Amino acid sequence: MTRYDAIMPGPWSDRLTFSPAIRVGNLLFISGTTATDENRRIVGVGDIAEQTRQIFRKWEPILKAAGASFDHVVETTDYYVTLEGYSKTADVRREFFRHPFPAATGVQVAGLIRPEALIEIKGIAVLDAVRN
């Protein structure tokens, strides 16, 4: 039977009804993440590139807790509310990912749960992936 483990790299509120990530076998499913700080306030209000950077900063301890790195991320899905500045997120992705880049999907949405959030990103990593 395949094991199902929550990845909790730090304190996690009992109020929340989701895990930061779930590991099933060699797959890691990273929950949709917004650019919040430790006090759950949005970082980079009005700046989609800075919000993207904060999201990936939040992914670092999740990946590390699962024994992985950004090299293991194989797919991301971006949910964004505006195209203003969206092209700058490509430069941020280059700060965290290297060639070959993960598969990616971008979906423009009418809104996110956090009103000041311009982007939310979820991802999938393969923990035993070997890169070329």
Side-chain angles (χ1 to χ4, degrees):
M1 182 173 278
T2 302
R3 209 179 145 123
Y4 178 111
D5 293 311
I7 303 298
M8 307 286 221
W12 196 251
S13 173
D14 290 337
R15 291 183 16 221
L16 300 173
T17 59
F18 66 95
S19 299
I22 294 292
R23 179 182 183 159
V24 180
N26 69 336
L27 297 177
L28 182 68
F29 299 89
I30 303 169
S31 289
T33 309
T34 55
T36 54
D37 63 14
E38 60 278 350
N39 296 311
R40 301 184 66 205
R41 290 184 301 239
I42 293 290
V43 172
V45 173
D47 184 343
I48 197 168
E50 186 54 33
Q51 287 190 21
T52 301
R53 188 173 288 109
Q54 176 66 9
I55 289 166
F56 291 143
R57 284 186 200 123
K58 288 175 61 176
W59 280 21
E60 285 177 309
I62 294 169
L63 290 163
K64 185 176 181 180
S69 71
F70 283 96
D71 282 348
H72 294 93
V73 176
V74 297
E75 181 181 33
T76 62
T77 304
D78 297 4
Y79 301 93
Y80 52 90
V81 297
T82 180
L83 287 173
E84 186 176 330
Y86 184 71
S87 63
K88 295 177 184 174
T89 65
D91 292 332
V92 177
R93 288 176 66 86
R94 287 183 184 92
E95 294 174 23
F96 293 88
F97 300 109
R98 62 186 175 106
H99 185 72
F101 297 105
T105 301
V107 181
Q108 189 169 11
V109 296
L112 297 168
I113 290 174
R114 295 188 172 277
E116 294 179 315
L118 300 175
I119 188 167
E120 182 169 334
I121 305 173
K122 70 176 189 167
I124 300 172
V126 178
L127 303 178
D128 58 0
V130 178
R131 294 178 58 96
N132 291 333

